[in-house]
Amino acid sequence: MKIADKLLNLVGVGRERGLPPPRLVAIADGLLVTERSAEAWFLISVANTDLATESEQDAALDAAVSAAATILGDRLSHLKVVWGRSTGQDYIDSVAGHYRLGDHEAWAQTRADRIDEMRMPERYVALGVHLSDRDPRATAQVRGSISDALGTTSWRVSARELAHLDERVRKLARQLGSTVWRAHTAPAEVISWLISREMHRGAVAAPRRGLITGASLARLTSGRVVPYTDHLRIYDTRGQIAAYTTVLAMTDFPEELETPGAGEWLRTLSEIKAIDDDGDEIDVTVEASVRFRVLTKKTARHLVDETRKSAKEQRRSAAKGTAEETADEIVETERVMREVKRDINRSGLTLVEDHPRLLVSADTREDLEAYVDAVIAHYADRGITVAVGADEQRDLWLESLPGDQLRVPDLGHVRESTAFFGSWFWGGASIGDATGPAIGYLTGSTPGLVRFDAAAGSALGDATTTLFLGRSGRGKTTAAMLGGLDSAFAGAWVPLLDLKGDAAGVSAVAAEYGVPTAVIEITAQFSGAADLLRVLPVDDALLQAPSQLMLLLPPHLRGAAEAPVMAATRAEIQSPDPSSWGVIQRLCAAESETVRTVGFALRDLVETGLGSVVAGPPSGLSSLTTNPGLWVVQMPGLTLPSPESAPESWSPIERVGMACLRGCLAWMVRTTGRREFRGRSKVVIVPEVHLLTKTPDGASFLDYIARVGRALGASLVLDTQDPASILKLPGLVEQITTLFAFSLRSREQVDSLLELLGRPQTPPYQTLVRGINTAANGKSIRHGHCIMRDRWDEVATVQIDIPSQQVAALLRTTPESEHTTTPTTAPPDLPPEDPFAADEEPALEGASVQTEASGRIVSQPAPAAPGPLERPEQTPTDPTPESPPAQRSEPAASAAENRASAGSGIQADASRENLPRPAAPSTPVPAGVAQQNGHPPTPAGDDHYRSLRYESPIGPDEVYDQEADEAAYNEAMYPAYDGTEPSNGTDRPAATPNGKEHVA
């Protein structure tokens, strides 16, 4: 170091402070080139640590320290933690091509509008690694000045140099990608965004062209930043102040930091809150810029020796003074340095030299001061001192720019690697599928969308079972219905077995968006619908149908009935139209009195109620359709025996219930396994599955679908209140890929749920499960909040989010819901529709449709009665594909009312009576569309769904509590809409008071 440099450092003005801002030369994927240096840039993936055990975190931290020492040793590195924002347009782009059925564009737009309303922040963790110096520092400064004076520029980089740098970037990417950070090369537009946002605070990324040079680079740095003593003012192109920014330095840390705990000083950035004028908590957007260097053993030993020698010289100098006393700090420093050197040599201790800075931005000076105070207080509670870099704002801000360098070296620290990487800058919450529909958002330390595709398992070569677990009324059935809706829009066949009779609302939502749907009530109207002779192929029916009939008989007749029933079935199956009713007629006409007694007993039972559904005279209506769409199969009055009771003790109504259930399940199994449907996505939804696990038939059905679902392209979505009963089905447990856990109370159920989640059965996790659906006030239910375990065994807290208030009201499963009051018939079984067909086919004729005020569908058959169910013994052939249903046409005003919706979590508070109701179609509807969709088509080009305005927005953390009527709470949770953003809740991401947006 030159004497001049030493003198400048002595007075706190190092040569680094005098350097001009970096001059950009080129930006490519993973590469940033300036006149002075070249850097490699990577994006670090978020590690899912919020619910990790202490041992899991310790293992990940040790792996990070080891990787850093090996890969980043002695390299100048730059860590940036910044915030972007999830947008609805990004979501629409990400699901392009996923949805194919109904008015899927409107469905995707509804979710996109909800995402825009939430203004959800998105965290980016970027790592820059110095590759090489391009010019000596002084030469670069002089040459830049000469170029400016002459009006020329030296901004250029040769193709050979780019190729060499690109190879080094690729090598580093391979190394960092195999670490716990799962780093990947940063795209060129992300690097340009990191630069431009510092100049403009919110400017969009430059368009990606592979290599960004010339005019594009000039635009990135064309902003104007004016430094003041304690802040900077950033101006836009019109000369208006775009943002106020303050750079803070983290000047002092405790001697010891605990992790998990206060030691996670970078992970907690998203947890900082400020108090607004109304006393409400608001999120503070804080970004981090940390320049650091992981010291190799050689460098660390040299640094320790230099520090120890300096302390020794100070001790000797003090001993020669008149007082002849040595300061305790000097003696302690000398002792500690000896111990550190010993640890470096013996235990492999590594050190890190780091310079942490925090950047806070706001729209006004007043807000900025409040946010800065909140940051200082947040870290003071953790024993960390944070201070405004007074008179250093320019240099500290330039230091945070990618491509620049350390400018204020005296505000730094040297610490153990575990203390630095224990900040967990890559920790937080990350869960769900990489692509597909969004079902909610994360509520952990890193906000973000949660994607879930119930039908993705088969395509990934994975198991295909999804499980929703928890107490009644917490939102698990609604969440399962949302997953089914997304699958139906994607063109899947989605039957929902509604044993409680409260899930009809999902059909109303499907109809609203033009998806083929119906609510099918298995009543006497559908006589013979669950007849196994009509559902199963011949070989299977010959064995299964007699078993179903024997199940209906009282115990004292079964011994003598087995042989006659089998013989009658063999004879009936040779008839042109075999049915169980025909078997019963043959038994009643037999010569033997005993056989006739068996026939009369069966006839008396099947001529009433649900018995006719099992073996009554065929009605000619095909209620169990195989068309793509969403089909709710309800069984009102179905009574199943308890698992403890023996079959001999079952009552007649329990025997009929079991026989009806067996027929319905056999239909589902048959449909999922049909060869001609192997290529079609199938998602079977069974709410309240604990009603099925009580029965041998139900347990066998679940086990079969779960085990063979991947091969058949069939997915299983289950919802239950009894995780303990699920654990008793090991075949099912092995096939569970995704699990959503809502609150439970009893120790047995809580521990069973934790076992399924893969979390230890310890008090912290037990408390989490018991309180996951309790709102912040402790007195209300937080509907839809749950713990999710995804197919990669990651676990995090998630809020299931309904995209609009209209959808939330239609999906409600509360007793007062209108969906449970109006009986609905099903459409006749049309040829299966192919949602992927490119060519339109003529619609069927002779059918009409009515749309009731409740949103339910009543489909009326065409004058020509449809034929019976397809003959099982016929050779399977591919059905003639039909075109997707035409889009709906409604009067513009009515459609706008129907789609005018407020964003809502699953806890939406909406009165069903106050919602706009679908208007009846005023023009004739093609029969093929009418009988499947129950909804008229929309003219092409109609985009009235795009201009949404929310009459009464409901935030993601707001709670609908039907059990308590607290006026003050409701007023706080559901403010009248005044044109501003909704108020923020405890975990509400990035909401701001008075409609103000935090500058990211």
Side-chain angles (χ1 to χ4, degrees):
M1 181 180 291
K2 296 180 180 180
I3 297 177
D5 292 340
K6 291 183 178 180
L7 292 175
L8 290 174
N9 287 331
L10 185 64
V11 296
V13 185
R15 183 174 295 276
E16 296 86 352
R17 288 176 166 87
L19 290 175
R23 291 174 177 268
L24 302 182
V25 175
I27 298 176
D29 287 348
L31 183 63
L32 172 62
V33 183
T34 69
E35 275 201 332
R36 293 196 296 263
S37 64
E39 295 178 349
W41 278 91
F42 307 93
L43 290 179
I44 294 177
S45 301
V46 177
N48 196 46
T49 62
D50 282 358
L51 297 185
T53 63
E54 188 171 343
S55 60
E56 291 171 341
Q57 289 201 26
D58 288 344
L61 181 56
D62 291 342
V65 170
S66 176
T70 303
I71 302 172
L72 302 179
D74 276 347
R75 291 178 179 269
L76 298 175
S77 303
H78 188 189
L79 178 71
K80 286 188 69 69
V81 181
V82 299
W83 298 92
R85 193 176 300 283
S86 299
T87 66
Q89 186 58 50
D90 289 341
Y91 175 74
I92 291 177
D93 294 341
S94 70
V95 296
H98 180 79
Y99 293 135
R100 308 186 182 188
L101 199 61
D103 193 359
H104 56 82
E105 291 182 354
W107 175 252
Q109 186 64 47
T110 301
R111 173 65 72 183
D113 291 336
R114 171 63 176 152
I115 292 171
D116 285 335
E117 180 201 357
M118 288 191 296
R119 309 178 65 80
M120 184 179 298
E122 185 176 13
R123 190 181 76 171
Y124 292 85
V125 180
L127 175 64
V129 181
H130 181 82
L131 294 178
S132 62
D133 289 326
R134 301 188 68 237
D135 285 310
R137 191 175 304 162
T139 303
Q141 182 178 2
V142 172
R143 192 174 70 177
S145 301
I146 295 174
S147 299
D148 290 341
L150 298 177
T152 62
T153 178
S154 58
W155 297 3
R156 60 182 179 272
V157 58
S158 67
R160 181 177 179 181
E161 182 181 3
L162 274 177
H164 173 69
L165 293 173
D166 182 67
E167 179 59 32
R168 297 184 64 182
V169 169
R170 292 174 183 272
K171 181 180 179 180
L172 265 178
R174 289 192 295 269
Q175 293 176 311
L176 292 172
S178 61
T179 66
V180 292
W181 299 318
R182 295 175 295 159
H184 58 278
T185 303
E189 73 268 25
V190 173
I191 301 175
S192 63
W193 173 71
L194 289 173
I195 299 170
S196 65
R197 66 193 311 280
E198 298 298 339
M199 302 297 299
H200 306 284
R201 305 306 292 176
V204 297
R208 180 177 181 180
R209 298 186 179 89
L211 179 65
I212 301 176
T213 58
S216 296
L217 286 179
R219 284 194 296 270
L220 292 180
T221 56
S222 62
R224 178 183 170 214
V225 180
V226 179
Y228 287 77
T229 301
D230 59 352
H231 72 281
L232 304 110
R233 296 182 183 182
I234 300 174
Y235 292 82
D236 58 22
T237 55
R238 297 173 298 174
Q240 303 295 320
I241 297 178
Y244 296 86
T245 299
T246 292
V247 186
L248 307 172
M250 307 183 79
T251 59
D252 191 23
F253 285 82
E255 290 186 4
E256 294 184 356
L257 289 170
E258 293 184 1
T259 177
E264 302 177 54
W265 47 275
L266 282 178
R267 186 195 62 80
T268 62
L269 287 176
S270 60
E271 301 175 2
I272 301 177
K273 309 287 182 182
I275 306 299
D276 63 8
D277 295 337
D278 299 326
D280 298 327
E281 285 188 342
I282 57 175
D283 295 316
V284 178
T285 301
V286 183
E287 299 181 352
S289 172
V290 185
R291 292 191 176 272
F292 69 96
R293 180 169 60 119
V294 180
L295 306 181
T296 60
K297 284 188 176 182
K298 179 180 178 180
T299 305
R301 283 194 295 263
H302 176 73
L303 178 63
V304 169
D305 285 340
E306 289 294 321
T307 306
R308 183 179 60 81
K309 290 178 182 178
S310 176
K312 184 177 181 179
E313 291 176 359
Q314 294 181 46
R315 176 173 57 81
R316 289 178 176 177
S317 177
K320 294 179 181 179
T322 54
E324 296 185 354
E325 294 181 356
T326 303
D328 293 339
E329 292 82 359
I330 297 176
V331 176
E332 178 68 13
T333 299
E334 193 174 356
R335 182 187 64 80
V336 169
M337 290 301 102
R338 285 196 298 268
E339 294 179 355
V340 169
K341 185 175 181 180
R342 183 175 62 250
D343 290 340
I344 292 174
N345 293 328
R346 294 181 179 179
S347 60
L349 174 69
T350 56
L351 301 179
V352 172
E353 179 184 3
D354 63 273
H355 303 263
R357 318 287 188 239
L358 302 178
L359 289 86
V360 184
S361 295
D363 295 327
T364 65
R365 280 294 309 278
E366 292 76 14
D367 286 344
L368 180 63
E369 292 173 359
Y371 297 164
V372 168
D373 291 343
V375 173
I376 293 174
H378 173 83
Y379 282 103
D381 292 341
R382 290 158 175 77
I384 300 173
T385 301
V386 176
V388 176
D391 297 319
E392 299 276 11
Q393 290 295 299
R394 173 190 178 274
D395 295 308
L396 290 175
W397 177 76
L398 288 173
E399 187 182 282
S400 70
L401 294 177
D404 204 87
Q405 65 180 64
L406 181 67
R407 291 173 175 267
V408 190
D410 45 318
L411 295 177
H413 312 272
V414 176
R415 64 183 104 198
E416 295 182 14
S417 294
T418 52
F420 176 75
F421 293 103
S423 65
W424 280 100
F425 53 82
W426 77 98
S430 174
I431 202 168
D433 295 329
T435 59
I439 197 172
Y441 57 88
L442 291 161
T443 58
S445 58
T446 49
L449 293 178
V450 176
R451 296 176 183 267
F452 166 65
D453 185 358
S458 181
L460 294 173
D462 196 5
T464 58
T465 300
T466 300
L467 194 59
F468 293 83
L469 290 162
R471 298 171 66 193
S472 177
R474 267 49 183 176
K476 61 184 185 301
T477 301
T478 306
M481 290 191 293
L482 278 175
L485 278 168
D486 282 317
S487 298
F489 278 106
W493 174 70
V494 185
L496 189 152
L497 184 58
D498 184 13
L499 299 179
K500 287 201 310 180
D502 63 353
V506 69
S507 181
V509 176
E512 177 73 10
Y513 287 88
V515 173
T517 184
V519 178
I520 304 163
E521 292 186 352
I522 303 299
T523 61
Q525 180 181 5
F526 296 102
S527 180
D531 184 350
L532 294 183
L533 273 177
R534 299 172 57 80
V535 172
L536 299 179
V538 174
D539 294 340
D540 292 342
L542 188 58
L543 296 175
Q544 298 291 340
S547 175
Q548 185 183 41
L549 291 175
M550 293 291 292
L551 188 63
L552 294 172
L553 287 172
H556 69 278
L557 290 178
R558 292 177 187 169
E562 184 173 356
V565 170
M566 178 63 74
T569 302
R570 286 183 178 277
E572 176 65 16
I573 212 165
Q574 304 300 322
S575 65
D577 189 15
S579 66
S580 293
W581 176 251
V583 173
I584 294 174
Q585 297 304 307
R586 291 177 185 273
L587 294 173
C588 292
E591 296 180 358
S592 169
E593 182 177 353
T594 302
V595 176
R596 290 199 301 272
T597 301
V598 171
F600 294 149
L602 288 172
R603 187 180 64 183
D604 292 343
L605 198 59
V606 303
E607 285 182 342
T608 60
L610 286 175
S612 63
V613 178
V614 178
S619 64
L621 291 179
S622 173
S623 58
L624 306 181
T625 179
T626 58
N627 293 338
L630 195 146
W631 314 102
V632 180
V633 182
Q634 292 184 330
M635 295 185 177
L638 188 68
T639 302
L640 301 177
S642 64
E644 297 81 14
S645 61
E648 294 76 16
S649 64
W650 291 352
S651 65
I653 191 171
E654 290 174 338
R655 297 200 303 272
V656 171
M658 280 299 302
C660 188
L661 178 62
R662 180 174 296 179
C664 185
L665 296 181
W667 163 68
M668 288 187 176
V669 170
R670 163 60 179 154
T671 302
T672 55
R674 285 172 60 175
R675 185 175 301 276
E676 64 269 30
F677 291 154
R678 290 288 177 92
R680 176 178 297 171
S681 177
K682 299 169 282 289
V683 179
V684 179
I685 304 177
V686 186
E688 307 299 337
V689 76
H690 49 270
L691 300 176
L692 285 188
T693 57
K694 295 178 180 179
T695 67
D697 290 67
S700 176
F701 163 76
L702 297 174
D703 184 78
Y704 170 79
I705 296 293
R707 288 180 184 272
V708 304
R710 183 190 62 80
L712 300 178
S715 301
L716 195 59
V717 177
L718 308 177
D719 138 26
T720 182
Q721 303 177 28
D722 186 10
S725 67
I726 298 295
L727 283 176
K728 297 176 183 178
L729 302 173
L732 177 62
V733 172
E734 287 295 325
Q735 306 304 319
I736 296 174
T737 58
T738 306
L739 188 149
F740 296 85
F742 298 78
S743 64
L744 289 165
R745 303 295 297 176
S746 71
R747 176 177 292 273
E748 178 190 9
Q749 299 291 4
V750 169
D751 287 347
S752 297
L753 181 55
L754 288 173
E755 182 175 347
L756 290 170
L757 285 171
R759 297 295 88 187
Q761 298 167 354
T762 56
Y765 289 100
Q766 291 168 337
T767 302
L768 174 65
V769 171
R770 289 171 62 90
I772 192 67
N773 290 123
T774 301
N777 63 2
K779 298 180 180 180
S780 301
I781 300 172
R782 188 177 181 182
H783 296 277
H785 196 229
C786 60
I787 308 166
M788 179 181 177
R789 191 204 80 188
D790 65 12
R791 65 180 71 254
W792 319 115
D793 290 330
E794 300 286 357
V795 181
T797 56
V798 169
Q799 175 67 54
I800 305 297
D801 187 70
I802 302 178
S804 72
Q805 188 178 27
Q806 170 78 353
V807 174
L810 293 175
L811 286 179
R812 286 179 64 184
T813 59
T814 52
E816 64 270 18
S817 174
E818 294 184 16
H819 311 308
T820 61
T821 60
T822 307
T824 302
T825 62
D829 193 22
L830 298 175
E833 179 185 7
D834 182 3
F836 312 101
D839 301 326
E840 295 187 1
E841 302 222 355
L844 301 178
E845 298 181 356
S848 61
V849 65
Q850 289 180 335
T851 305
E852 296 185 339
S854 64
R856 298 290 302 277
I857 308 162
V858 180
S859 298
Q860 300 175 350
L869 276 165
E870 60 181 348
R871 290 291 308 279
E873 65 271 22
Q874 294 177 350
T875 302
T877 57
D878 290 336
T880 303
E882 294 184 355
S883 62
Q887 293 185 336
R888 302 170 297 145
S889 65
E890 296 179 358
S894 174
E897 291 176 357
N898 286 343
R899 206 53 60 76
S901 54
S904 152
I906 206 166
Q907 64 274 18
D909 180 11
S911 171
R912 183 72 181 91
E913 290 76 11
N914 294 333
L915 291 172
R917 307 192 175 203
S922 58
T923 58
V925 182
V929 176
Q931 294 189 14
Q932 292 188 33
N933 294 0
H935 215 289
T938 297
D942 189 2
D943 60 352
H944 57 268
Y945 303 127
R946 308 298 184 263
S947 57
L948 297 181
R949 281 313 309 158
Y950 297 97
E951 299 281 337
S952 176
I954 299 178
D957 291 334
E958 297 161 4
V959 178
Y960 172 72
D961 184 5
Q962 65 188 55
E963 300 177 1
D965 184 16
E966 304 176 41
Y969 177 74
N970 290 334
E971 181 179 358
M973 288 294 98
Y974 307 105
Y977 182 72
D978 60 358
T980 64
E981 293 295 326
S983 61
N984 188 26
T986 304
D987 295 319
R988 172 70 184 270
T992 57
N994 304 322
K996 293 182 292 186
E997 175 184 356
H998 293 174
V999 181

